[in-house]
Every structure is written in structure tokens, then in C-alpha cells.
Amino acid sequence: MEVNAIEARRLKKGFDGNPVLKEVNFTLKTGEVHALVGQNGAGKSTLVKLINGFHQRDGGEIRLFGEESHFATPKEAQAKGIAMVYQDLSLIPSLSVADNIFLTQSQRSALISNRDRVRQAEPILATLGVDIDPRQKVENLSVGEQQFIEIAKAMAMDARILVLDEPTASLSNNEINALFTVIRNLKSRGISIIYITHYMSDIMRICDAVTVLRDGYSVLETQTADTSVDALVEAMLGSKTDTDFVWERPATSASEAVPLLELRNVTTCDLDAVSLKVMPGQVVGLAGLLGSGRTEILEAIYGLTPIQSGEVRVNGQVVNIHSPRQAIENGINMVPEERRSQGLVLDFSVEDNVLMASFDRISRSMVLDKAKGQSMVEDTIKKLGVKTTGVTQPVRFLSGGNQQKVVIGKCLSTDAKVLLLDDPTFGIDINAKYEIMKIVNQYVAQGNGVIFVSSEYAEVGSFCDVIYVVNKGRIVRHFSGQRMTEEALLAAVQ
Ligand SMILES: Nc1ncnc2c1ncn2[C@@H]1O[C@H](COP(=O)(O)OP(=O)(O)OP(=O)(O)O)[C@@H](O)[C@H]1O
Ligand SMILES: [Mg+2]
């Protein structure tokens, strides 16, 4: 019988006296793709960081190909063939693709010339099926492309075990398909893969087995063939929930009301004569492929890219917005796509991060009303179910999904009349996703408006009152007054 790649028994890990993993068992068979699932903060990232020596376990044992293992650092684990692509990318933007791919093998790569590095990077990128020039600087790549460089980096070190922590979060549909081809390819070469994700349907497509974490325990270990999406969700949440939500909203008296926000033929370096309207009470969706111009539309509204011609109106009045500050003064706020770098100060507490955005509302003549601020933050984190030890915890120590919730909480606690949400639910578990959508729904019910971008077509289709389809910086179609299925919307954006 073949020996297991990883066998972890009774693993225990806590931080500052707070247990995260109480008793976790995890078995990765050689050559299988094994999904790890659980709600935000369940301990998925912590578990894989115990396996690769990033964290030290408090108890239990880990066997690697039959041998008891104890890695003091990720470097030691790497030497034994464990490669990890972290949830937050760790590339060096100012270096080239080739340099980044061979970065971790500094001793070896110091001996080879730049030209050889480029030459060696090419076949690795080719196996991944991506068309990226290895000489290009990483800072010029999209987030999706950077994800592939991370995987290329892992492949360059001849990994036997590859850990992918939410790899699809920022990938387009085509890129996801390419990634799955790569995973199948690696699997056929005997590489064992741990795959962390919040997308249940992906697990059914690409994974052989799945382990569910909840409240510090591994509550379900099964072959994917023997389970279902519903059973996984139930194991994750510990109770049965209905995940098919219907979002009905009263029809707005569209024709006579003044739009909260209107774009008329807005042209920028990326956009070509974009016109759209956001009426009070509406969630307006932007659908399109990665790079189609959805984010660019939000950036133009938010004052991040100069508008060359056309006009923006707020409540019917023409406005000139040249910076996010001016956007905020005009009642417009945005949750950016790259939240970690743009939306949070990692070393600040949860409280300070949320309060930064709404300083004016809680300060009287620049003196901060601490009690008011604190109760507002506590209210926000309760509503969104942010898993934290308290409002004073630095956000650096929150799980990826919980950091996400803090950024959204920050935005929702301002006085803005129009929110621009760029993929607000990525990396967020099914329960928190529902909570966020519920809050957005309440927000528009008060007469506010939202522009909603999401890479999940099912979400845009079921949640938005109006949907604009974006392609190459232009609005090519628009749908209103009906909810759309994932299939119909996918067909419309091609
Ligand atoms: N270095 C740390 N110091 C303190 N607490 C931590 C640290 N790392 C993780 N935690 C806590 O451990 C818990 C589990 O975090 P982890 O990142 O493993 O969750 P996750 O399952 O990966 O969640 P997500 O889906 O949001 O990525 C969280 O409550 C988090 O705040
Ligand atoms: Mg995580």
C-alpha cells in the first residue's frame, strides 16, 4: 500500500491562549487533490502553516511520507518538498517574473545567470499555459497573473506537496480553467495537493477528497464522490441552511426620480463613452470578464483616473471628482479590489481601521468621541460576524476572510450615499457572504445606491436590479427589471 503524503493526528494550536485547532486529523494521500474547507477563521490557513513549519504546533503529530516531521521554518519544509502558495501573495513587485520564480532558491540561483533564469522560467510558464514574458516586472501583472507566478515558483522547487490557499479568489473564469488544467497535470505527475477554497462547486470539480474544519475539530473527512455541496455546507456551519437566496426589492420609481449617480459618455484612458445610472434603492451590477473595465469604471467615479470627456452627475448636479477625498465629500465611497494593500492598515487595531473612514461622524471639533466610536465598531463587527479576540486586536492577526469583513464594515459605517463594491465577497465564507449581502440590501432600502462588481455571475444575476455588461472599456448591453441566471449572464459577457 502506498504511504500517505501527510498524516496529521490530534493537532492542537492556539494563539495567546485562544485555541484555534483543538483536535484536528488530516490525511493527504499521495497524488490526490484534497480540499480543506471551513468558515472564515476556522483555522484552514493555520493548519497548513503547521504543516509547513510557519507555525509550531502545541500538540499532536505530523507524518510526512511515513516519517515523523517537525519543521522549524518553511525553508526546512521546502527542502522536504512542501511548497505553499499563501493566501496573500508574497511576490516582489519590482523584480522580474523569472527572478521571482527562482527567488526561494537563492543559493542555487546565485550561480546561474539572468539569461539562464529566464530560459528556465519559460518551460515552467509554458506548462502552466500562461503567456507571460519572464523578463517582465511582476508589478506590471494583474493579480490573476501573479497567482500563476506563485504556482510557477512552487513548481520550480520540485515540490512533492503543493498547498494552494484560496488560489481562485482573483482569477477570471478562463484563468480558473487554466488553473484546473495545471492541477490535473501536477496530479498526474504524482504531486499531492491541498486546496483551500470557499467555492463548493470547485471542490466537486477538481478535488478527490475533502476535510471540513469547524470549532477546532475536523468534523468531516470524505471522498468528494461520497458527499454533496449541501452536506459540506451543513458540516461547515453545523446546521442546515438554505443557500439559494432570493433578493426581492421594491421597484424604484425610476423614470421620475433623480439618479444618485449618473455617468454620461465618460471616457478615460481605459473607458470609452460609458453611460450608466444608479437610482435610489438600486443595486447596479457590472458584469464582464477580468480586465473588461469594471474596476476602471469604479476608479473613474472614485477620482482615481482622470476623466477626459463626458460628465458625472451626483443628484443631478455635474461634479468634478479628482481624488477619493472629493468622491467621499460627494457621498461616494469604495471598497477596492486589492483590499489588503489598499483598504487596511495591518498593524492598526480592528477598531482604528473601522473608525478611520468615519472620523467626522464620531468626532466633535476633532476630539474623538471614544465611547461612540467603540459602540459603532462593536455593532459593525457583530453584524458581520468578524471573528476577533476584541476590537483592539491588530487586523494582521485576523484570518483573510475576517480582514475582508473589516474593510467592508469600514465602508458601511460611513455616511456615503453610493457605495462602489469591487468584488466584496471574494474569500468570504457562505454565511458571511449572506450577511454582507443582507447589509447591502438594508443599505439600499434606506434610499442609497450601490454599484456591485463580482466575479461570481450567479451573485450578480440574483442580487442586482440593473446589470451593465462591460467589454473592452465599453458598456455593450444592459438588463433591468429581472433577475438573471448564471448561465444567461455568462453567455452575455462572452
Ligand atoms: N498570528 C496569529 N496571532 C493571533 N491569532 C491568529 C494568528 N493567526 C491566526 N489567528 C487566529 O486564528 C483563527 C484562525 O485563522 P485562520 O487564518 O487559520 O483561518 P482560516 O480558516 O484560514 O480563515 P479564512 O477563510 O478567513 O482565510 C482566527 O480567529 C485568527 O484570528
Ligand atoms: Mg485563510
Side-chain angles (χ1 to χ4, degrees), residues 245-253 278-285 421 433-434 436-452 458-467 480-484:
F245 309 117
V246 184
W247 301 97
E248 293 299 344
R249 251 167 249 127
T252 38
S253 45
V278 182
M279 305 303 290
Q282 271 187 347
V283 180
V284 172
L421 304 177
K433 205 173 258 189
Y434 176 64
I436 285 172
M437 289 165 98
K438 216 162 71 185
I439 289 172
V440 171
N441 215 35
Q442 284 164 6
Y443 174 79
V444 294
Q446 293 158 10
N448 300 312
V450 163
I451 302 188
F452 183 82
E459 217 170 86
V460 178
S462 64
F463 191 58
C464 299
D465 305 285
V466 179
I467 298 169
S480 65
Q482 77 210 67
R483 292 293 186 260
M484 292 183 71

Side-chain angles (χ1 to χ4, degrees), residues 13-16 18-21 37-49 54-55 87 165-166 196-198 213 387-389 393-405 427-429:
K13 176 68 184 173
F15 295 100
D16 318 313
N18 298 308
V20 173
L21 306 181
V37 297
Q39 284 184 266
N40 295 131
K44 303 175 296 291
S45 297
T46 302
L47 172 57
V48 292
K49 285 176 179 171
F54 186 97
H55 288 315
Q87 191 166 6
D165 197 348
E166 296 191 42
I196 300 180
T197 186
H198 289 289
L213 298 184
K387 200 170 168 196
T388 168
T389 53
Q393 191 180 26
V395 292
R396 182 182 295 288
F397 299 129
L398 263 52
S399 76
N402 280 300
Q403 292 184 352
Q404 209 94 295
K405 293 188 214 167
I428 286 187
D429 70 57

Side-chain angles (χ1 to χ4, degrees), residues 81-340:
I82 302 181
M84 174 127 157
V85 176
Y86 291 96
Q87 191 166 6
D88 29 328
L89 303 180
S90 55
L91 299 173
I92 301 186
S94 57
L95 290 183
S96 75
V97 167
D99 288 343
N100 267 284
I101 291 178
F102 294 105
L103 197 65
T104 37
Q105 311 172 359
S106 40
Q107 301 90 334
R108 236 206 290 168
S109 67
L111 301 175
I112 59 172
S113 69
N114 187 36
R115 222 177 64 207
D116 285 343
R117 272 203 293 278
V118 169
R119 206 176 286 155
Q120 289 178 17
E122 269 163 358
I124 298 175
L125 292 168
T127 340
L128 292 176
V130 289
D131 185 20
I132 298 172
D133 181 350
R135 281 163 297 225
Q136 206 179 126
K137 281 195 180 160
V138 160
E139 63 198 3
N140 299 328
L141 303 179
S142 72
V143 186
E145 289 170 327
Q146 293 187 22
Q147 191 73 258
F148 280 106
I149 305 306
E150 286 281 1
I151 296 172
K153 208 166 112 181
M155 287 168 66
M157 49 199 181
D158 297 323
R160 291 193 288 172
I161 296 172
L162 176 64
V163 183
L164 300 171
D165 197 348
E166 296 191 42
T168 62
S170 39
L171 300 189
S172 68
N173 266 12
N174 286 342
E175 285 173 325
I176 291 173
N177 289 332
L179 174 70
F180 287 177
T181 308
V182 169
I183 289 179
R184 286 192 198 99
N185 187 357
L186 295 176
K187 186 179 140 177
S188 71
R189 287 158 47 183
I191 295 176
S192 319
I193 296 170
I194 302 177
Y195 188 92
I196 300 180
T197 186
H198 289 289
Y199 298 109
M200 300 297 140
S201 52
D202 288 355
I203 294 175
M204 292 305 177
R205 251 178 92 187
I206 196 74
C207 299
D208 305 296
V210 50
T211 295
V212 182
L213 298 184
R214 189 182 74 237
D215 300 333
Y217 299 91
S218 37
V219 292
L220 180 68
E221 293 178 80
T222 176
Q223 294 298 113
T224 36
D226 300 335
T227 188
S228 65
V229 170
D230 285 349
L232 290 179
V233 172
E234 193 180 333
M236 241 175 79
L237 304 182
S239 63
K240 257 192 149 46
T241 36
D242 186 2
T243 51
D244 285 331
F245 309 117
V246 184
W247 301 97
E248 293 299 344
R249 251 167 249 127
T252 38
S253 45
S255 51
E256 59 270 26
V258 179
L260 289 171
L261 175 72
E262 185 176 0
L263 270 61
R264 294 190 186 174
N265 295 314
V266 167
T267 297
T268 70
C269 55
D270 312 298
L271 303 176
D272 184 10
V274 168
S275 298
L276 59 81
K277 277 185 198 167
V278 182
M279 305 303 290
Q282 271 187 347
V283 180
V284 172
L286 299 182
L289 302 172
L290 202 83
S292 58
R294 299 167 306 177
T295 296
E296 287 74 8
I297 293 178
L298 301 189
E299 286 176 349
I301 299 170
Y302 202 52
L304 289 167
T305 30
I307 292 174
Q308 292 161 353
S309 64
E311 58 184 40
V312 177
R313 288 171 180 253
V314 171
N315 294 321
Q317 304 294 317
V318 176
V319 292
N320 285 304
I321 294 173
H322 301 291
S323 67
R325 163 167 281 244
Q326 288 174 344
I328 292 166
E329 282 164 6
N330 279 289
I332 301 169
N333 211 332
M334 169 152 130
V335 174
E337 191 179 15
E338 286 176 55
R339 277 173 276 280
R340 255 180 87 93

Side-chain angles (χ1 to χ4, degrees), residues 318-481:
V318 176
V319 292
N320 285 304
I321 294 173
H322 301 291
S323 67
R325 163 167 281 244
Q326 288 174 344
I328 292 166
E329 282 164 6
N330 279 289
I332 301 169
N333 211 332
M334 169 152 130
V335 174
E337 191 179 15
E338 286 176 55
R339 277 173 276 280
R340 255 180 87 93
S341 59
Q342 296 175 13
L344 289 175
V345 181
L346 290 180
D347 286 319
F348 279 23
S349 66
V350 170
E351 179 176 34
D352 290 344
N353 268 288
V354 174
L355 290 182
M356 266 187 319
S358 42
F359 202 73
D360 292 345
R361 258 212 307 182
I362 49 161
S363 64
R364 278 189 231 104
S365 59
M366 294 310 281
V367 182
L368 195 67
D369 185 339
K370 208 157 171 53
K372 194 168 166 194
Q374 188 145 15
S375 81
M376 199 176 88
V377 176
E378 272 163 7
D379 189 49
T380 305
I381 66 176
K382 202 165 106 213
K383 268 198 274 186
L384 291 174
V386 178
K387 200 170 168 196
T388 168
T389 53
V391 293
T392 55
Q393 191 180 26
V395 292
R396 182 182 295 288
F397 299 129
L398 263 52
S399 76
N402 280 300
Q403 292 184 352
Q404 209 94 295
K405 293 188 214 167
V406 172
V407 184
I408 293 170
K410 177 177 146 182
C411 231
L412 288 168
S413 62
T414 64
D415 274 334
K417 286 282 168 214
V418 178
L419 283 185
L420 314 176
L421 304 177
D422 199 351
D423 229 344
T425 60
F426 96 59
I428 286 187
D429 70 57
I430 213 156
N431 205 23
K433 205 173 258 189
Y434 176 64
E435 289 304 322
I436 285 172
M437 289 165 98
K438 216 162 71 185
I439 289 172
V440 171
N441 215 35
Q442 284 164 6
Y443 174 79
V444 294
Q446 293 158 10
N448 300 312
V450 163
I451 302 188
F452 183 82
V453 172
S454 165
S455 5
E456 281 185 76
Y457 294 105
E459 217 170 86
V460 178
S462 64
F463 191 58
C464 299
D465 305 285
V466 179
I467 298 169
Y468 293 90
V469 178
V470 191
N471 190 340
K472 298 201 177 81
R474 297 172 51 205
I475 305 268
V476 290
R477 290 178 78 169
H478 103 270
F479 303 94
S480 65

